[in-house]
Amino acid sequence: MNNLQRHEQQYWRPQGWRTMEQRCVPPYAGQEVAAVTGRLSELPGLVDAEEVRRLKAELGAVAEGRAFVLQMGDTDERFRESSPRHVRARMATLGSMSNYVGFMLDKPVISVALAAGSYAQTPLRATEVVDGVTITSYYGEMVNDPSPHPWGRTPDARRMLWAYEAAQATLATMRQCGLRVFTSHQVANLLFEEALVRRCSSTGSYHAASAHLLWLAAEHLGAGSAYLEFLRGVDNPIGVRVGPELSASELLSIYMALNPRKEAGKIVVMTSLGSQLGPLREYVHAFQGAHAPVVWMSAPVHAGSMAQPLDAAMAEVGAEVERTASAHLTEGSRLGGLHIESSRRALAEGEVDERDPAPAERGRLFEKTLQVCSKVAHVCARTQ
């Protein structure tokens, strides 16, 4: 660790986010949180510092146009989906898509799975009304149960340990598959994330040991964000998902807060802009002017959009990716990757899901995911 890094990190601690705005922290009750997070802090990290550094180096190659990144999976994982059968099916899909995209683009593809950690969410409101009863909103299985019952929605700190175990089981199966995959999830439950921060004995740097790449949703990018405060001190690559409402100066300010040394491969900007290309051009110009290396990704598929009819979903996704890739090309930039969120129902082919009201559609939903990825690869190939 150099002197600048020491200077930066002496003003950062894993628990420093607790002094910031905390509207999205689950409303746990009682003293059990301290016992659970204390236990988590003693357990082995789910990923290690060397793997984190390796991903950052590979993302640096993406920023230079020498590789491409495919980030794909489910942003609302359930514990029971950590079964070997389910994980193997998901990894087979990601592996096939990565190989296909790599063939189409004639360059290495870095596979990043939205897996082994997407057990937490940040609802827009702390409570919701169901059948006239006010209950706690769903924060992901790491916090409470999705069923709309008061007793199931009560936050339970022990679920953080269950999430750790599910992630550990998922990672074990992923490593057995022989596919070289990194993991990623949205930062949501900072109590869990803080408990899994580890410090590298050789460099002295901190890293979040819950996943290789952590990403932030647009609603967590405001001034005084506890999420930004937490992430600015970890060595992991950081994804920032943005929509058209964020200005170029605001995005560049967020970048500098997270990456003041302008380290290549550190920041991934995931744009969800629909048909609005004006903000993207402004983003690109701002980063070019600041000489700030960045990985640009298109995030056209939201978790809920896969419920659309097949043709409509493919047309919408393909159009946004094509517009995004073409805009980068026009502005002297490059699209470096794709972020694809699969549907809550688009599970592994043949997997039984009792929550699915139309089981006969599962195969079609799985096929839809594959066809969307194929469309994306064709679109990107034409604009490389």
Side-chain angles (χ1 to χ4, degrees), residues 2 34 46 52 57 63 82 105 124 131 152-153 182 189 193 203 213 230 245 261 304 314 353-354 375:
N2 59 37
L46 295 168
V52 167
S82 60
L105 302 182
L124 296 177
D131 296 331
R153 289 293 182 86
F182 297 100
N189 190 338
E193 301 293 349
T203 66
L213 186 154
F230 174 78
E245 67 283 348
R261 298 189 302 277
M314 288 181 62
D353 184 357
E354 66 273 12
K375 174 70 172 179

Side-chain angles (χ1 to χ4, degrees), residues 134-212:
T134 300
I135 62 175
T136 302
S137 294
Y138 178 54
Y139 282 79
E141 277 205 328
M142 179 186 289
V143 178
N144 54 9
D145 194 86
S147 60
H149 303 294
W151 54 89
R153 289 293 182 86
T154 300
D156 185 344
R158 294 173 300 174
R159 284 177 169 267
M160 286 190 277
L161 291 172
W162 303 347
Y164 176 92
E165 293 168 357
Q168 193 175 48
T170 299
L171 282 164
T173 303
M174 288 172 61
R175 288 162 179 154
Q176 292 171 3
C177 291
L179 179 64
R180 192 164 173 273
V181 181
F182 297 100
T183 61
S184 175
H185 63 254
Q186 178 185 343
V187 176
N189 190 338
L190 287 177
L191 292 167
F192 180 82
E193 301 293 349
E194 176 195 323
L196 283 175
V197 169
R198 300 293 182 265
R199 195 166 194 175
C200 179
S201 59
S202 60
T203 66
S205 63
Y206 293 98
H207 71 281
S210 61
H212 301 101

Side-chain angles (χ1 to χ4, degrees), residues 216-218 221 240-246 251 269-273 283:
L216 273 173
L221 300 177
V240 179
R241 186 167 190 170
V242 299
E245 67 283 348
L246 197 70
L251 179 57
V269 174
M270 304 147 61
T271 59
S272 300
L273 302 173
Y283 297 159

Side-chain angles (χ1 to χ4, degrees), residues 199-275:
R199 195 166 194 175
C200 179
S201 59
S202 60
T203 66
S205 63
Y206 293 98
H207 71 281
S210 61
H212 301 101
L213 186 154
L214 300 177
W215 61 276
L216 273 173
E219 58 265 27
H220 297 149
L221 300 177
S225 167
Y227 296 87
L228 286 176
E229 171 59 26
F230 174 78
L231 288 175
R232 76 176 181 86
V234 296
D235 201 35
N236 306 60
I238 304 299
V240 179
R241 186 167 190 170
V242 299
E245 67 283 348
L246 197 70
S247 71
S249 61
E250 289 171 329
L251 179 57
L252 189 59
S253 176
I254 290 166
Y255 175 98
M256 293 305 299
L258 294 172
N259 189 26
R261 298 189 302 277
K262 298 182 180 179
E263 186 179 4
K266 172 68 176 180
I267 302 297
V268 176
V269 174
M270 304 147 61
T271 59
S272 300
L273 302 173
S275 60

Side-chain angles (χ1 to χ4, degrees), residues 68-108:
F68 195 82
V69 58
L70 179 61
Q71 185 182 37
M72 180 177 172
D74 194 342
T75 56
D76 182 18
E77 288 183 283
R78 303 294 165 84
F79 295 153
R80 63 187 183 81
E81 294 169 4
S82 60
S83 68
R85 177 171 174 249
H86 187 92
V87 175
R88 282 194 293 266
R90 282 193 290 171
M91 291 307 103
T93 299
L94 177 58
S96 296
M97 290 302 98
S98 295
N99 290 336
Y100 183 77
V101 172
F103 175 77
M104 292 292 298
L105 302 182
D106 192 27
K107 61 177 61 174

